[in-house]
């Protein structure tokens, strides 16, 4: 029996490993296809990458041709694509046309602020949002369910930049409780690792994070409510209740775990929000994140910088979906079939 049990465990581990390897291969192919489509769409967009440089200051004779040759813009499109793929494989995303700096340097400067903002928003969305969704489902049709649903949908319907402007007026201009813009106070004393500096970052983070939470928490609440209601109507839940289990045990041990599947899938889809999902909010609060950098790169036709941001976003999308699939498979083995 012990040998059979070990053999069965080894078989299950092998099945999980093969499933994960297959999903990872699919994710790699998806990432490659996404990069290909994004590259050619960017190159087919009307506009001259050197237009902003020449608009700020007229280029000397021959300088435009030299810059085109430097950035490889005078080469055939397929040759440019091959050079881009070689750079991605070697971790070299090129040099920004707009800033004249390596794309990796620009992304590394902006990414921490974006990860901080997006991480806080996702943490609040998938803790408070799940709790509120469960509260709605357990009070289905009641006053609390209707009030929370209407409030969340109203907040979701309001544009995030309008919510941000209202919070700026209320929290910064009227109450003087939070800073208007930026990530830190440039005139504040203290090092980057001191408590006053961290508290300063926290004060600057409140308004943009609250804006995004107000704009997005309704989705998490609705997903959790719908999934939990579907689980509570299942046959095994009626069986558990018929056995005399308390309602709290039925909810925690049986219904909620089953209802986490759609929410985990939503989490995987929302991971790209860590990178570029807060463009308008970053613009309202002058938050030095990657979303505004990517938007400026697209507007300026800065191909290397735009494709560097797109490469990172595509990687987040693929990795987010892969992580969501793995979590769903851990909760429900039927997913692996």
């Amino acid at each position: 029996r012990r040998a059979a049990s070990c053999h069965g465990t080894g078989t299950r581990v092998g099945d999980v490993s093969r499933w994960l390897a297959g999903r990872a291969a699919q994710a790699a192919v998806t990432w490659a296809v996404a990069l290909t489509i994004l590259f050619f769409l960017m190159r087919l967009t009307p506009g001259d990458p050197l237009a902003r440089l020449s608009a700020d200051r007229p280029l000397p004779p021959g300088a435009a041709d030299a810059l085109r040759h430097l950035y490889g813009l005078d080469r055939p499109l397929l040759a440019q694509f091959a050079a881009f793929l070689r750079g991605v494989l070697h971790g070299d995303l090129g040099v920004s046309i707009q800033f004249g700096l390596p794309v990796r340097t620009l992304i590394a400067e902006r990414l921490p602020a974006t990860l901080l903002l997006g991480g806080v928003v996702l943490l609040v969305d998938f803790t408070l949002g799940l709790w509120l969704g469960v509260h709605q489902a357990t009070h289905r049709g009641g006053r609390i369910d209707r009030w929370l649903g209407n409030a969340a949908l109203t907040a979701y319907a309001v544009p995030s930049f309008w919510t941000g402007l209202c919070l700026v007026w209320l929290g910064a201009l009227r109450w003087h409780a939070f800073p208007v813009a930026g990530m830190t106070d440039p005139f504040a004393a203290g090092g980057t690792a001191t408590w006053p500096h961290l508290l300063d970052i926290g004060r600057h983070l409140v308004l943009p994070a609250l804006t995004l939470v107000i704009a997005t928490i309704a989705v998490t609440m609705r997903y959790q409510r719908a999934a939990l209601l579907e689980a509570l109507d299942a046959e095994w839940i009626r069986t558990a209740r018929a056995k005399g289990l308390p309602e709290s045990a039925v909810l925690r041990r049986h219904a909620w775990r089953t209802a986490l599947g759609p929410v985990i899938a939503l989490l995987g889809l929302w991971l790209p929000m860590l990178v570029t999902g807060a463009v308008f909010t970053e613009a309202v609060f002058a938050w030095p994140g990657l979303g505004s950098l990517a938007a400026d790169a697209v507007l300026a036709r800065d191909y290397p910088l735009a494709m560097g941001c797109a490469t990172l976003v595509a990687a987040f999308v693929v990795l987010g979906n892969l992580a969501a699939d793995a979590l769903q498979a851990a909760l429900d083995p039927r997913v692996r079939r």
Side-chain angles (χ1 to χ4, degrees):
R1 285 198 301 269
R2 184 179 302 172
S5 177
C6 293
H7 177 71
T9 303
T11 302
R12 288 194 296 271
V13 172
D15 292 340
V16 172
S17 300
R18 285 191 296 271
W19 181 84
L20 286 176
R23 291 294 296 118
Q26 293 177 15
V29 173
T30 303
W31 186 55
V33 172
L35 290 186
T36 302
I37 295 174
L38 289 171
F39 179 87
F40 286 103
L41 284 178
M42 178 61 64
R43 288 302 195 275
L44 294 175
T45 303
D48 186 2
L50 302 179
R52 178 170 292 189
L53 295 179
S54 59
D56 295 338
R57 183 174 56 186
L59 297 176
D65 294 335
L67 288 174
R68 291 184 187 280
H69 179 73
L70 176 64
Y71 291 107
L73 300 176
D74 57 346
R75 303 170 62 185
L77 194 57
L78 291 179
Q80 295 182 41
F81 179 61
F84 166 72
L85 289 182
R86 285 195 300 269
V88 170
L89 292 177
H90 290 87
D92 182 12
L93 299 175
V95 178
S96 169
I97 300 174
Q98 183 181 1
F99 298 99
L101 295 173
V103 172
R104 289 190 305 178
T105 302
L106 294 171
I107 291 178
E109 290 176 353
R110 298 290 192 100
L111 189 58
T114 294
L115 292 178
L116 176 62
L117 177 59
V120 169
V121 172
L122 287 182
L123 179 63
V124 175
D125 271 357
F126 286 89
T127 52
L128 181 60
L130 290 181
W131 181 79
L132 291 175
V134 171
H135 206 60
Q136 281 187 275
T138 54
H139 296 80
R140 173 171 44 181
R143 181 180 302 175
I144 294 178
D145 182 24
R146 293 195 301 270
W147 187 88
L148 286 176
N150 292 333
L153 290 178
T154 301
Y156 181 75
V158 177
S160 60
F161 66 86
W162 180 256
T163 303
L165 291 175
C166 292
L167 290 177
V168 167
W169 173 78
L170 186 64
L173 301 180
R174 185 175 179 86
W175 292 345
H176 304 285
F178 302 102
V180 176
M183 185 176 176
T184 57
D185 185 356
F187 301 103
T192 57
T194 61
W195 278 110
H197 179 75
L198 297 178
L199 291 175
D200 183 40
I201 294 177
R203 291 181 65 245
H204 284 79
L205 180 64
V206 170
L207 292 183
L210 183 58
T211 300
L212 287 177
V213 167
I214 292 174
T216 57
I217 196 172
V219 180
T220 308
M221 292 171 57
R222 298 297 293 180
Y223 264 73
Q224 179 65 96
R225 178 184 182 277
L228 189 56
L229 287 177
E230 183 179 356
L232 288 173
D233 291 335
E235 293 182 359
W236 66 85
I237 298 298
R238 290 196 292 268
T239 303
R241 286 169 173 163
K243 291 181 178 180
L245 288 178
E247 189 64 23
S248 59
V250 171
L251 182 65
R252 288 196 311 270
R253 298 177 187 176
H254 300 280
W256 190 59
R257 178 174 177 176
T258 305
L260 280 179
V263 181
I264 290 175
L266 177 66
L267 175 61
L269 293 174
W270 275 24
L271 283 179
M273 191 184 69
L274 289 171
V275 183
T276 59
V279 176
F280 295 113
T281 303
E282 290 181 4
V284 170
F285 294 97
W287 186 263
L290 197 59
S292 56
L293 180 67
D296 291 340
V298 172
L299 291 175
R301 304 298 186 268
D302 190 344
Y303 293 153
L305 182 56
M307 286 307 304
C309 296
T311 301
L312 187 61
V313 172
F316 267 74
V317 172
V318 170
L319 292 177
N321 280 276
L322 182 61
D325 289 343
L327 288 175
Q328 283 183 307
L331 288 173
D332 189 355
R334 294 174 298 177
V335 175
R336 298 195 297 266
R337 302 171 190 166

